[in-house]
Amino acid sequence: MKGLVRVTTTASSLPLTMTTPFGDATNTNVVASAEPVPVPPSRSPEAPKLKTADLPDVDEPWQQLAQNTDVHMSDAQEDFAPEGLFDHVQGFPSDDVPDRPMVSPLAPMTTLREEYVNGSQGFVRQIDWLMNEGWIGVRRTRGDGDCFYRSLAFAYIENILNSSDTMLAATGALSVLEASQQQLEQVGFQRMVFEDFYDCMAGLINQVINPVDGRLLDINSLLEAFNNPEVSNSIVVYLRLLTSAEIKTNPDYAGFLFHPETGDQMDPEMFCNNFVEAVGKEADHVQMNALATALKVNVNVAYLDGHDQQGKVSFVPFQNAPFTFLEPVNLLYRPGHYDILDRRDVDPIPPLLV
């Protein structure tokens, strides 16, 4: 994969050379020392693999529960009828820990800063740097191991909703999503198993331009949907299946599939069964690049690790849509968790969560 290199690094030394624009933000450079493996130019670079075991943990009491609860979609499609599997998504680990919404309204970045002010000053400096660069808001997601997929999905649909041309943005996204079903079938997923999950995501995007019960999608109804376990978890499942299909159908990933704990190389089938399709398993750089590629969306990930003495935050880009007019999805990574990064600190309409 172009620029995809196997490296061992710490979070304070990110291993890729890139310069990326983030809206009005100052470009952020990431410097590399590894030799890239030549592959077709359509693929974006790999994000660095961080040694999160050496970093402070995110204080999410439900993370251990999520890590101990695996639901494999490849196994589930054999064990459940489609309607049973659809009901099964409501039993995700996150349902047992209602302390935080699955996706929260936008909040000022100062609320995150307050959590670290009496602790890690490295994190405080980096949060201050983000705010000085214009990133004044954060949308928190539940730390259940599915936070990357849920965060990306929400931010992606919200970007469509906020697009200057919602008709073009929504129809383009629906076209990509429609084509993805064939990719899932190519690796053996049955349409009758995944079509309900697909319908949940496609239905929300379609509601941007076509009213449902007389109502177009807005930030209120988007938050409502993503805090409905049936809808939210169905979207997570579909994105996990799509990520798995992208990894299995693209041979360029094969050399970069390693067990996150032992470092042993894994074949695509085993890797996807255990670390992609398994609900509650965190996403690493391979999964992030694969999903961004499959959805044809640009993603920027800000790594908040507390290591930089000057407080600078490194952004790692996954550029997979060079001709899109949609804003990139901007995510905030803390060890073991993803939230959504924003230049606003409040939603345009007071949210209504149900």
Side-chain angles (χ1 to χ4, degrees):
M1 199 160 303
K2 184 178 181 182
L4 194 60
V5 293
R6 189 187 180 196
V7 295
T8 302
T9 182
T10 62
S12 60
S13 177
L14 300 175
L16 298 173
T17 300
M18 353 177 157
T19 302
T20 58
F22 304 101
D24 298 328
T26 304
N27 290 352
T28 305
N29 296 327
V30 185
V31 180
S33 58
E35 291 295 327
V37 179
V39 293
S42 60
R43 300 296 174 184
S44 63
E46 174 191 2
K49 183 173 180 61
L50 303 182
K51 291 185 176 180
T52 57
D54 298 332
L55 303 179
D57 292 332
V58 177
D59 187 17
E60 301 286 8
W62 43 80
Q63 282 188 336
Q64 187 62 41
L65 172 64
Q67 291 170 357
N68 293 334
T69 309
D70 292 348
V71 180
H72 296 266
M73 292 301 106
S74 57
D75 296 335
Q77 69 172 338
E78 298 175 0
D79 298 338
F80 293 89
E83 62 275 11
L85 183 55
F86 188 72
D87 292 338
H88 184 63
V89 301
Q90 299 185 68
F92 274 36
S94 60
D95 290 351
D96 299 327
V97 282
D99 306 66
R100 174 168 293 163
M102 290 181 171
V103 180
S104 298
L106 268 178
M109 185 67 75
T110 52
T111 61
L112 182 61
R113 186 184 192 278
E114 290 169 1
E115 297 181 14
Y116 291 99
V117 70
N118 294 322
S120 171
Q121 294 308 298
F123 279 84
V124 172
R125 286 191 293 270
Q126 288 190 309
I127 292 170
D128 288 341
W129 185 92
L130 284 171
M131 290 192 292
N132 289 335
E133 292 294 316
W135 302 104
I136 61 173
V138 61
R139 191 183 299 279
R140 307 288 288 272
T141 62
R142 186 178 291 179
D144 55 7
D146 296 308
C147 51
F148 166 73
Y149 299 94
R150 207 180 313 274
S151 294
L152 186 146
F154 186 97
Y156 175 55
I157 297 175
E158 186 182 18
N159 282 353
I160 296 170
L161 180 62
N162 293 334
S163 170
S164 59
D165 189 335
T166 54
M167 178 63 71
L168 181 60
T171 54
L174 288 170
S175 177
V176 170
L177 207 59
E178 172 68 26
S180 71
Q181 296 181 93
Q182 183 177 355
Q183 189 176 16
L184 265 63
E185 290 180 309
Q186 182 180 344
V187 298
F189 295 119
Q190 300 177 22
R191 185 177 291 259
M192 64 184 298
V193 170
F194 65 71
E195 61 184 357
D196 286 333
F197 308 138
Y198 167 87
D199 288 343
C200 283
M201 185 164 184
L204 281 180
I205 296 173
N206 185 61
Q207 195 180 351
V208 172
I209 52 178
N210 294 306
V212 174
D213 297 329
R215 182 184 183 186
L216 287 171
L217 190 72
D218 58 23
I219 190 60
N220 283 346
S221 52
L222 186 59
L223 280 165
E224 290 170 5
F226 270 83
N227 284 282
N228 178 327
E230 182 178 292
V231 175
S232 193
N233 291 338
S234 292
I235 291 173
V236 167
V237 169
Y238 191 79
L239 294 187
R240 283 187 175 276
L241 297 181
L242 181 55
T243 304
S244 176
E246 174 66 24
I247 292 172
K248 291 176 182 177
T249 56
N250 182 352
D252 294 336
Y253 287 104
F256 303 95
L257 306 179
F258 298 93
H259 193 290
E261 296 176 1
T262 67
D264 295 335
Q265 189 158 10
M266 305 178 72
D267 64 72
E269 190 73 26
M270 185 66 68
F271 180 85
C272 289
N273 287 348
N274 287 278
F275 301 110
V276 182
E277 298 163 23
V279 170
K281 290 295 185 179
E282 297 174 5
D284 207 334
H285 44 289
V286 170
Q287 294 94 316
M288 288 188 282
N289 190 80
L291 183 55
T293 300
L295 287 178
K296 296 181 172 58
V297 59
N298 294 327
V299 179
N300 299 318
V301 181
Y303 281 84
L304 193 68
D305 52 49
H307 284 184
D308 191 277
Q309 293 303 310
Q310 285 70 47
K312 188 174 182 179
V313 176
S314 296
F315 281 76
V316 175
F318 300 84
Q319 302 297 314
N320 294 284
F323 305 112
T324 184
F325 61 91
L326 280 179
E327 290 294 316
V329 168
N330 297 300
L331 303 181
L332 178 65
Y333 175 84
R334 291 176 289 149
H337 185 64
Y338 294 87
D339 290 312
I340 302 170
L341 196 59
D342 209 296
R343 293 188 177 281
R344 307 163 299 167
D345 61 359
V346 65
D347 285 313
I349 303 172
L352 176 62
L353 296 181
V354 296

